[in-house]
Amino acid sequence: MLLAIDCGNTNTVFSIWDGEKFLCTLRTSTHHARTADAYFTWFHTLVQHYQIETDITDVIISSTVPRVVFNLRVFADRFFNCRPLVVGKPECLLPHNARVEAGTQVGPDRLVNTAGAFDTHGGDLIVVDFGTATTFDVVDTDGAYVGGVIAPGVNLSLEALHMAAAALPHVDITKPQNVVGMNTVACMQSGIFWGYVGLVREISSRIREERGRPMKVIATGGLAPLFQQDTGLFDAFDEHLTMHGLTVIHKYNKDMAA
């Protein structure tokens, strides 16, 4: 079985793939000081709780937080006796290499999303990932990542608004009933919700115009369903896009090594 690990700035997700389906998905907060032993104690406890039979033979890691990769490597080696594939490292091959300016480091999460999106939806895509940052990944006709856009994440914007303006409270993001708010919370929710709807729509439109061709917009990330409501922003929502991308890259490396 394959253990796919996606380490983001806020959360780290572990999914067990049996070759046909994900048996479980476990989530923990990202913390660079968490040791390999701590990862295993947490992982083993939850796997036992859900009564999942596991026989992990392979591990693949995507991490936007370089400081955690060492302990995740030790975790894979010590407890599963395997050398993990790490997306972005030279030994981890990609189905399609990114076409960007020489010397540019492309985030592993963006490479993984590109691989997963192309495998499921084909080429000419705009992948919008609602994470700590809101990212737009442009996937060419042949499946190559060819650039994108990075904007502040929704929760990051809300937190910045709350921290910088003493009179403004911390609010949860939701779709407001009206554009014009009648109280402070409603005003903030409207600004964030409709502001991000406008951001996604405008950036997607400009990417299509610049590329000169029709492009499907695929959304992923926890807040994507919220922004899909009656907005028509996305052609599809893919909850497991990143994890699927990790399985695609793992399979490609296995096939190339055979």
Side-chain angles (χ1 to χ4, degrees):
M1 290 183 182
L2 171 68
L3 176 60
I5 304 175
D6 173 38
C7 177
N9 290 293
T10 305
N11 293 315
T12 300
V13 181
F14 293 65
S15 289
I16 300 173
W17 173 254
D18 70 356
E20 296 181 355
K21 63 184 182 298
F22 288 109
L23 300 181
C24 72
T25 296
L26 310 172
R27 186 180 300 267
T28 185
S29 60
T30 298
H31 195 322
H32 71 270
R34 184 172 284 126
T35 64
D37 292 347
Y39 276 119
F40 182 74
T41 300
W42 167 82
F43 178 80
H44 185 64
T45 300
L46 284 180
V47 165
Q48 283 194 321
H49 172 77
Y50 290 115
Q51 298 181 336
I52 299 168
E53 293 294 331
T54 61
D55 182 17
I56 305 298
T57 57
D58 296 88
V59 178
I60 184 168
I61 300 167
S62 169
S63 176
T64 58
V65 187
R67 295 176 69 186
V68 306
V69 173
F70 174 78
N71 283 329
L72 288 173
R73 281 181 180 271
V74 174
F75 165 73
D77 178 65
R78 180 177 298 167
F79 297 105
F80 304 116
N81 194 32
C82 71
R83 178 184 175 88
L85 272 174
V86 180
V87 179
K89 299 297 183 183
E91 63 271 18
C92 182
L93 305 177
L94 299 174
H96 305 89
N97 289 323
R99 290 196 291 272
V100 293
E101 290 184 0
T104 300
Q105 287 277 73
V106 181
D109 55 330
R110 310 186 80 174
L111 298 173
V112 171
N113 282 349
T114 295
F118 181 73
D119 184 71
T120 304
H121 304 282
D124 286 330
L125 304 175
I126 302 168
V127 180
V128 185
D129 189 349
F130 290 87
T132 303
T134 300
T135 59
F136 297 73
D137 303 326
V138 180
V139 184
D140 210 346
T141 305
D142 62 354
Y145 170 87
V146 291
V149 176
I150 301 175
V154 177
N155 287 318
L156 192 62
S157 294
L158 272 173
E159 190 64 26
L161 194 61
H162 169 63
M163 294 294 291
L168 296 181
H170 180 79
V171 300
D172 293 326
I173 180 62
T174 186
K175 182 182 178 182
Q177 292 184 337
N178 303 297
V179 176
V180 179
M182 301 295 286
N183 57 63
T184 301
V185 170
C187 288
M188 293 173 66
Q189 289 174 333
S190 183
I192 290 292
F193 182 85
W194 292 113
Y196 271 85
V197 168
L199 180 144
V200 172
R201 181 171 286 133
E202 181 67 12
I203 289 179
S204 298
S205 175
R206 287 183 176 272
I207 290 173
R208 288 190 183 102
E209 182 181 346
E210 190 171 285
R211 301 284 294 169
R213 67 188 72 172
M215 302 185 75
K216 291 183 288 186
V217 180
I218 311 300
T220 191
L223 288 176
L226 171 66
F227 288 94
Q228 177 73 339
Q229 298 181 55
D230 304 319
T231 61
L233 286 178
F234 314 123
D235 295 290
F237 166 62
D238 196 332
E239 180 182 4
H240 302 293
L241 181 66
T242 304
M243 286 302 171
H244 177 63
L246 284 170
T247 68
V248 170
I249 293 173
H250 175 262
K251 183 179 184 303
Y252 180 76
N253 280 266
K254 283 289 188 181
D255 291 344
M256 293 298 289

